[in-house]
Every structure is written in structure tokens, then in C-alpha cells.
């Protein structure tokens, strides 16, 4: 009777000890203890409380990493969990392995989530001289429970960090989008001489397309449509710097368009170190002379239409930020009749594809403009263009930033 009572007390003591160990680990998890501390507790529990003489744990975080190790001498770099344990779905005794580092352990305990391995725990505690039951076998269920708890805690921490990172990126994108919206003019003129309307759709929250309207005096103004290479925050930052330089050159110098383009090229090369380039169309219109001067720096040619014909405004030079010094800048000029329309755009508009991978095309854009010159408002033409684009692409998303800047001359 006393022997049975003794064994019962021993079992109760072991159970209480395991409960205390679980309490310690769960308390550490609830207190949001760092991963290193959780692994230290786990390591101490295995070694000092459960008698496991050797252990190694691999955890997956974009790649497999050894996150815990004790009682093992030598290199473990040859252990590749993805291949060495690919067939291990439950606790498995290691009877043989071509790798000495693996065969020095006695069993591997996998931890899975939705059929995906998150961790592998290797333990070694068997000895030919030791006649007692191996701790790894004796406490297997408890060790497996601890491994699951620790692994899930580590995974939750990783997911929490990833969530925080994503929220930070989301906030940065929101701020960048707000910054970009401030770059685009919101009060485009609609008067007896001209009517301007624009529309912009970013592929991401922010992008690298840009348009601007800069009045010089009552009779003259400058406008610009540009596209920076790349997308996202970095493209938006390059474009914001470009806008600041453009506006400063227009407002505070008497430079002609060619000199403005030269200065913009030099500044972009200096700031981006050749890693970015910008295509742009810049125009300067005089209401009295009805003369439009322009430079097309590697940009998609705007469509200029009047009641008689249409033409593409090609004259200019290469894009800026490509070479140190632009060798030849050709300035174009066109006389503007009343009722003429100029439509500037970025490549995202004409290159949008339908579900058969057919592009919207420049020809289709021209047809829409020519067929709707009678429209009283230039904004109506813009809407008709975008309606056609939406119909063309169907369910496919916009694959690039898309900007449209149109002027109706009265």
C-alpha cells in the first residue's frame, strides 16, 4: 500500500511540476516576453526539468533557422529541415541518417499549422549504458505540447511584427498619397480663353505620373505632363522634387523652355544619381498670339485636334535624367485656332490591355477626340476617354499609373 501511495505521490508531483512549467511559459507569453526568453525557458525546461540532454530547434521565418541548441557539439549547418525532414509528419525516431549531425539525435518532433511545417524539434537523450526510460519517450506528449505552444507563440510574434510593418507601410503610403495629391493642381482654369480638365489614376496608392498648370501672367501660362520611371513612394518622391524645381524655374527665372529642360535634366541626374529618368511634355501658351511652344522630352506625343485635322506633338529631345547633357533640344510650335483641343496623357492610358492582351492604342484615343470636338466641356471628352478605357480593359486592373490632361482653346 505504501509503495502504491509513493508512486501516486510521485505522479502527482510530476503532474504539478508540469502544470507549473506550463504556467511559467504561458505567463511569459501573456507578458509578451521576447522570443529569446521564451526559448530560454523552453531550453531550461527540457534540460533541467525533463532531463533531455541534447536538443535543437529549427523555426521557419522566410527561411529555416536554428533558434535553440544545447548539448550538441560540432556544426549543424549541413542540416536542411526542408529536405531532411520533408517526410516527417509526426514524432519520429531517428534510426539512421546520412548526416552525422542528424543521426546524433534520437527523435524529431514536427510542429505543423494548416499542413505547413513551422518548426522541427530534435532531441537526444538515449544512452546504451542507461537502463532507464528515455525522458524523450517518457515525457513525449508533454514535450510535444511545449513545442507547439512555443512555436505558436513565436509565429504569433512574427505575424504581429509583420502586421505592424504592413500598417507602417500603409500609413507611409497614405501620407505619400496625400503629399502627391497636393502636387496636382485642383483649380484648373475654365474661362473665356481656355478650359483645362485632368484626371489621374495611380496603379498603387501613389505613383509617378504628374501634371501641372503654372500661370505666368494674365496672357501666358506653362503646363506640363510627366512620367517618372518606376512606381510607388520612391517615384512620388522623385516627382515631388521635380515639381519643386520646375515651378521655381518657371516663376523665378526668365529661362526659355529649352533652358528649363536643361536645368531639370541636370538636377534630376544630381539627385537620382542616374537611377531615375522622367519623360515629359512641357508647353507654353500665349493667349494673345495664340501660339503654343512646346518640348516633348521622350514623352507620349499629345494629340492636337482642330476642326480640320489632327497632329501629334513630337518635337523635343530625349527624356531627362538619362544623359549628362542633352545634345539637341528641338522646340516645337503650333498656332491654335478657336475650338482646338489638346490631349496630353501618360503611357498607362494607351497601353492598358483588355482580357485578350490587346492595348487600348493611340488610334482609338484619336478617334474618340475627333468624334467629340463638339463637346462643350473638355471634362466631357476626358470622361468619354476613360469610359472607353474602362470598357476596353473589362475586369483587368490598371497595370500602370494613368494621367490625362486636356485643354480646350476658345
Amino acid at each position: 500500500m505504501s509503495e502504491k501511495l509513493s508512486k501516486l505521490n510521485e505522479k502527482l508531483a510530476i503532474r504539478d511540476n508540469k502544470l507549473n512549467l506550463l504556467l511559467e511559459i504561458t505567463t511569459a507569453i501573456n507578458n509578451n516576453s521576447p522570443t529569446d526568453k521564451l526559448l530560454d525557458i523552453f531550453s531550461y525546461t527540457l534540460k533541467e526539468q525533463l532531463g533531455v540532454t541534447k536538443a535543437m530547434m529549427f523555426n521557419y521565418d522566410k527561411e529555416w533557422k536554428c533558434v535553440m541548441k544545447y548539448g550538441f557539439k560540432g556544426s549543424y549547418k549541413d542540416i536542411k529541415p526542408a529536405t531532411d525532414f520533408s517526410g516527417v509528419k509526426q514524432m519520429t525516431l531517428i534510426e539512421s541518417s546520412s548526416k552525422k549531425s542528424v543521426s546524433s539525435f534520437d527523435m524529431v518532433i514536427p510542429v505543423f499549422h494548416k499542413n505547413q511545417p513551422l518548426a522541427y524539434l530534435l532531441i537526444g537523450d538515449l544512452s546504451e549504458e542507461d537502463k532507464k526510460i528515455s525522458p524523450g519517450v517518457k515525457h513525449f506528449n508533454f514535450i510535444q505540447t511545449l513545442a507547439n505552444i512555443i512555436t505558436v507563440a513565436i509565429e504569433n510574434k512574427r505575424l504581429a511584427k509583420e502586421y505592424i510593418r504592413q500598417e507602417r507601410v500603409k500609413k507611409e503610403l497614405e501620407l505619400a498619397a496625400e503629399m502627391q495629391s497636393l502636387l496636382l493642381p485642383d483649380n484648373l482654369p475654365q474661362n473665356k480663353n481656355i478650359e483645362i480638365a485632368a484626371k489621374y489614376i495611380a496603379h498603387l496608392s501613389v505613383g509617378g505620373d504628374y501634371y501641372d498648370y503654372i500661370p505666368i501672367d494674365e496672357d501666358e501660362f506653362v503646363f506640363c505632363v510627366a512620367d517618372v520611371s518606376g512606381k510607388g513612394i520612391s517615384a512620388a518622391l522623385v516627382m515631388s522634387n521635380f515639381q519643386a524645381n520646375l515651378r521655381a524655374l518657371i516663376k523665378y527665372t526668365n529661362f526659355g523652355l529649352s533652358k528649363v529642360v536643361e536645368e531639370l535634366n541636370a538636377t534630376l541626374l544630381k539627385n537620382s544619381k542616374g537611377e531615375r529618368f522622367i519623360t515629359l511634355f512641357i508647353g507654353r501658351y500665349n493667349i494673345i498670339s495664340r501660339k503654343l511652344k512646346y518640348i516633348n522630352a521622350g514623352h507620349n506625343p499629345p494629340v492636337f485636334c482642330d476642326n480640320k485635322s489632327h497632329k501629334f506633338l513630337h518635337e523635343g529631345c530625349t527624356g531627362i535624367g538619362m544623359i549628362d547633357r542633352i545634345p539637341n533640344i528641338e522646340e516645337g510650335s503650333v498656332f491654335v485656332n478657336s475650338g482646338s483641343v489638346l490631349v496630353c496623357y501618360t503611357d498607362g492610358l494607351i497601353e492598358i490591355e483588355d482580357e485578350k492582351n490587346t492595348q487600348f492604342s493611340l488610334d482609338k484615343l484619336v478617334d474618340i477626340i475627333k468624334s467629340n470636338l463638339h463637346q462643350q466641356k473638355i471634362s466631357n471628352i476626358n470622361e468619354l476617354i476613360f469610359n472607353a478605357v474602362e470598357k476596353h480593359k473589362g475586369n483587368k486592373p490598371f497595370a500602370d499609373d494613368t494621367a490625362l490632361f486636356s485643354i480646350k482653346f476658345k
Side-chain angles (χ1 to χ4, degrees):
M1 185 70 179
S2 60
E3 184 178 349
K4 289 184 178 180
L5 183 61
S6 177
K7 287 184 178 180
L8 179 60
N9 288 332
E10 183 181 350
K11 288 183 178 179
L12 289 173
I14 292 173
R15 188 195 66 179
D16 289 344
N17 185 45
K18 289 180 177 179
L19 288 174
N20 288 332
L21 293 173
L22 280 174
L23 179 62
E24 181 181 4
I25 290 175
T26 53
T27 300
I29 293 171
N30 291 335
N31 289 336
N32 198 29
S33 298
T35 299
D36 289 345
K37 183 174 181 179
L38 296 179
L39 291 169
D40 286 343
I41 295 173
F42 187 36
S43 174
Y44 177 82
T45 299
L46 291 175
K47 184 177 181 181
E48 303 298 336
Q49 302 294 325
L50 301 178
V52 177
T53 59
K54 185 192 304 181
M56 185 181 297
M57 187 173 184
F58 291 90
N59 180 257
Y60 186 78
D61 181 5
K62 297 181 181 178
E63 62 180 354
W64 286 101
K65 298 178 182 178
C66 180
V67 294
M68 184 193 77
K69 178 174 71 73
Y70 72 83
F72 177 82
K73 295 181 180 179
S75 175
Y76 60 88
K77 300 296 184 182
D78 64 326
I79 300 178
K80 307 297 181 185
T83 53
D84 293 339
F85 311 128
S86 60
V88 177
K89 305 299 181 184
Q90 57 187 359
M91 187 279 287
T92 302
L93 291 174
I94 301 174
E95 296 179 352
S96 64
S97 174
S98 59
K99 295 182 178 179
K100 185 177 179 181
S101 52
V102 175
S103 60
S104 65
F105 291 91
D106 299 309
M107 65 179 68
V108 55
I109 300 174
V111 178
F112 278 81
H113 176 67
K114 294 183 178 179
N115 297 320
Q116 294 297 320
L118 296 181
Y120 291 103
L121 174 66
L122 305 178
I123 58 175
D125 53 33
L126 298 179
S127 174
E128 292 182 2
E129 291 78 20
D130 195 345
K131 303 298 182 182
K132 297 186 294 183
I133 298 176
S134 160
V137 175
K138 186 177 181 181
H139 303 296
F140 162 69
N141 288 331
F142 185 62
I143 292 174
Q144 188 175 44
T145 298
L146 291 181
N148 276 275
I149 291 173
I150 292 295
T151 300
V152 170
I154 293 173
E155 179 68 3
N156 286 341
K157 283 181 173 293
R158 185 190 69 79
L159 292 174
K161 287 181 180 179
E162 179 64 18
Y163 174 77
I164 292 172
R165 186 193 68 80
Q166 290 178 356
E167 286 297 304
R168 186 182 297 119
V169 170
K170 180 181 177 181
K171 187 63 176 177
E172 289 175 354
L173 285 171
E174 289 174 353
L175 291 172
E178 183 178 350
M179 174 196 73
Q180 188 175 36
S181 67
L182 296 175
L183 298 181
L184 303 176
D186 53 2
N187 291 316
L188 296 172
Q190 297 185 21
N191 53 49
K192 64 180 182 179
N193 298 307
I194 56 169
E195 181 186 350
I196 300 178
K199 188 168 184 176
Y200 176 58
I201 297 177
H203 170 54
L204 303 173
S205 298
V206 292
D209 286 7
Y210 160 75
Y211 58 83
D212 208 348
Y213 163 80
I214 309 169
I216 297 174
D217 53 40
E218 292 182 355
D219 300 326
E220 203 165 15
F221 65 89
V222 170
F223 63 95
C224 175
V225 177
D227 185 358
V228 64
S229 59
K231 300 178 180 67
I233 295 176
S234 59
L237 290 174
V238 171
M239 194 55 76
S240 67
N241 184 265
F242 170 84
Q243 187 221 37
N245 287 308
L246 172 63
R247 289 196 161 218
L249 288 169
I250 298 300
K251 290 186 175 182
Y252 304 115
T253 71
N254 292 318
F255 292 162
L257 292 182
S258 296
K259 182 63 174 176
V260 167
V261 170
E262 287 179 357
E263 291 296 321
L264 290 172
N265 182 68
T267 303
L268 180 59
L269 277 171
K270 179 181 177 181
N271 293 340
S272 69
K273 297 179 175 59
E275 295 181 0
R276 297 282 183 180
F277 67 89
I278 294 175
T279 66
L280 72 140
F281 179 89
I282 184 169
R284 182 165 184 161
Y285 179 65
N286 187 288
I287 294 171
I288 304 300
S289 67
R290 304 194 68 88
K291 192 171 185 180
L292 171 63
K293 297 179 180 179
Y294 70 88
I295 292 175
N296 186 333
H299 198 72
N300 296 89
V303 182
F304 180 78
C305 284
D306 58 23
N307 292 323
K308 297 180 180 180
S309 63
H310 75 275
K311 64 182 297 185
F312 303 116
L313 306 188
H314 289 283
E315 286 80 8
C317 60
T318 60
I320 66 172
M322 298 179 178
I323 52 179
D324 291 340
R325 184 180 178 85
I326 300 175
N328 182 41
I329 300 177
E330 183 179 357
E331 188 174 300
S333 178
V334 60
F335 181 80
V336 179
N337 291 311
S338 177
S340 298
V341 167
L342 177 67
V343 176
C344 306
Y345 56 93
T346 55
D347 54 9
L349 183 81
I350 60 171
E351 292 178 3
I352 185 70
E353 296 180 343
D354 62 11
E355 295 176 353
K356 295 181 180 179
N357 299 322
T358 302
Q359 292 187 350
F360 182 71
S361 80
L362 179 57
D363 289 340
K364 191 172 292 187
L365 175 63
V366 172
D367 288 342
I368 295 171
I369 298 169
K370 291 174 65 177
S371 300
N372 292 281
L373 284 177
H374 64 278
Q375 292 285 338
Q376 293 297 314
K377 290 183 174 296
I378 192 65
S379 57
N380 291 343
I381 294 180
N382 282 1
E383 287 301 317
L384 288 169
I385 292 171
F386 266 96
N387 288 342
V389 167
E390 288 286 350
K391 183 178 180 180
H392 174 81
K393 73 180 186 66
N395 293 324
K396 292 191 71 171
F398 282 94
D400 196 1
D401 304 324
T402 303
L404 186 63
F405 182 92
S406 305
I407 306 175
K408 186 165 189 176
F409 302 91
K410 299 179 180 180

